[in-house]
Amino acid sequence: MKLALSLSAISMAAGAVLLGSGGALAAEPTLSEKDFEEAKVLYFQRCAGCHGVLRKGATGKNLEPENTKKLGQKRLEKIITLGTEGGMNNFDDTFSKEEIAKLATYIQMDVPPPAEMSLAEMKKRWKVYIKPEEYPTKPMHGRNWQNFFVVILRDAGKMGIIDGDTKEIVTKVNTGYAVHVTKESSDGRFWYTQGRDGKMTKIDLWMDPPQVVAETQIASDARDVAVSHYGEWKDKYVIGGGYWPPHFVILDAVTMEPLKVVSTRGINVDGEYVNEARVAAVYNTPNAPTWIVAVKELGQLWQVDYSDLDNLRIEQINSHKFLHDGFFDPTQKYFQIAANASNRMEVMDSESRKFVASIETGTKPHPGPGANWVDPKCGPVGGTVHLGEGKVTVWGNDPKGHPDNAWKICYKTATDGPGLFIRTHPNSPYVFADQTLHPDPDVQQSIKVIDKKTGKVVKTIRVTDIEKSVAVHSEFNQDGSEVWVSVWVRGGKKTWLDGHIVVYDSTTLEKKAVIKGLETPTGKFNVYNRVHHNT
């Protein structure tokens, strides 16, 4: 069926005639109640992360009706279908033509008011499946759990636990929808997940098989989680950051009981009030009893001191918009985070709790968990890929040992397309960068391998050639001898189990294994490497 016919059917059902940009004056865009609810779910699942629940924009453009109506139905459908050169990926292999038409109409309509969520409501949704006093006192299986990979199975709403020694899928556990990230307790035994539906879960890797021991919901849309790792508060608290409502929540890390809610609405670095000031990321600071809370739209890094919850101390550190994700330098003192709308990497000192530097790297930097290594000329360096262009940018990050190179560009390496993640390991001679956001299958299905000594691409690995698949996110095993790359097969539930992980020798770059039967595998987290900060 042609798109025009699909659109016509939707428009007739809604009782409106929708014309494209440049045509005659169009009737007010409308949808039936059923189609409106379906489009609202699609927007939440796939669009709100970049464009905002209120559609005011951040990483993505403002999608309020005053802007989208100017583009018109046909133009909006084309953008959703094909993506843009600015870093928005194509959705023709995710949505049907009918869904694209509904979504294009939906974003021309007024924004439905989202609901708030109180601490009392969170406590109603708090569930304990296994009481802490009933936890095992030692691992109940004979596996090397420190070489487990905790794998996000995004669209299935699950986490896969994979034995890094045997390559077996140990189990899959139900979590929140589309987990964005998972963080570990100080010893790596417990893993806390944060789903895009706001559900936070706690997984115990010592159980046989590993399972969820507690959960709650801290928001209707959320992105990140972190555990207290410092001093007497080690593993005492866990924090979750909400997109909507815009707030962060501190919970008891043992029981998962919600304890305190703090709104992040406020005044941004330009002096303007922001209602939708979302928590893009939260990180534990290894050298202080604090978390770093990145408030995306405010352009501020909040350093939250958890040593006294009743008298909560928060330093608001001005940076640039819009903050996204980041990583520490090898000393765990300096935090490096993307302000991707400003095309910068921002640096703050987590010990002095002050802003340090801003580095212009390229169009929309996105380091994910990032990468640190030693360059023969610049000394210790960090690196990032970009959402808006095919480039890896590398900067010096050792102000004590190499002050002349600190927070300055060391070099830039061109890739074939924009990517999401960059990773390395101390025992590998290479840095691995994906190119997930390029529309060309040849590019998005390949990763670039960069030599640490020369900064040059030494190999392009075609990870997959399956139709509608992409290669995304690299992670190393415990000793760094292997690098694991996710293959995500798009196309809905019928293709979920076609997803897999390809394992390569991190030195010879030869393929070693394929782990099959994984539903949209995305981020992977090796227990040992995350506990020991091997990036």
Side-chain angles (χ1 to χ4, degrees), residues 283-394:
Y283 296 87
N284 166 65
T285 59
N287 301 324
T290 62
W291 294 298
I292 294 173
V293 176
V295 189
K296 192 180 190 79
E297 283 78 10
L298 297 190
Q300 290 181 337
L301 295 160
W302 291 12
Q303 192 152 356
V304 180
D305 192 319
Y306 52 71
S307 63
D308 186 352
L309 297 192
D310 291 329
N311 300 283
L312 197 65
R313 173 185 170 190
I314 301 175
E315 270 97 358
Q316 296 178 327
I317 302 159
N318 284 347
S319 180
H320 288 86
K321 299 181 297 187
F322 291 112
L323 295 170
H324 200 69
D325 52 13
F327 60 108
F328 280 90
D329 78 304
T331 69
Q332 306 297 299
K333 174 180 170 69
Y334 296 100
F335 185 64
Q336 309 157 117
I337 186 169
N340 46 37
S342 299
N343 302 326
R344 297 170 179 268
M345 287 295 297
E346 309 289 270
V347 184
M348 67 162 287
D349 185 329
S350 67
E351 295 178 11
S352 69
R353 310 186 188 192
K354 295 184 182 298
F355 183 79
V356 172
S358 183
I359 310 164
E360 294 189 54
T361 64
T363 307
K364 297 182 180 179
H366 187 281
N372 294 303
W373 66 96
V374 178
D375 179 80
K377 294 182 179 179
C378 299
V381 295
T384 185
V385 291
H386 295 78
L387 301 176
E389 61 178 313
K391 179 169 66 179
V392 170
T393 299
V394 179

Side-chain angles (χ1 to χ4, degrees), residues 51 67 119 247 268 426 445 466 488 502 526:
H51 298 283
N67 296 313
L119 181 63
H247 62 212
N268 68 14
Q445 296 174 353
I466 299 174
W488 189 3
V502 184
N526 180 268

Side-chain angles (χ1 to χ4, degrees), residues 149-153 156-162 168-175 203 209-212 496-500 515-521:
F149 283 75
V150 183
V151 184
I152 296 171
L153 304 179
K158 298 179 180 180
M159 299 294 292
I161 312 298
I162 302 178
E168 295 175 275
I169 300 173
V170 178
T171 191
K172 297 176 183 178
V173 297
N174 292 318
T175 57
I203 301 169
Q211 58 185 285
V212 171
W496 273 0
L497 288 174
D498 292 333
H500 54 278
I515 304 169
K516 299 180 178 180
L518 298 169
E519 305 94 321
T520 54

Side-chain angles (χ1 to χ4, degrees), residues 237-301:
Y237 300 121
V238 60
I239 182 174
Y243 260 29
W244 192 270
H247 62 212
F248 64 82
V249 182
I250 299 174
L251 305 88
D252 184 314
V254 178
T255 66
M256 290 280 286
E257 178 185 5
L259 301 175
K260 191 178 187 71
V261 182
V262 178
S263 174
T264 50
R265 293 176 168 101
I267 308 299
N268 68 14
V269 291
D270 298 324
E272 301 168 336
Y273 176 76
V274 180
N275 183 39
E276 190 177 5
R278 301 175 290 174
V279 177
V282 287
Y283 296 87
N284 166 65
T285 59
N287 301 324
T290 62
W291 294 298
I292 294 173
V293 176
V295 189
K296 192 180 190 79
E297 283 78 10
L298 297 190
Q300 290 181 337
L301 295 160

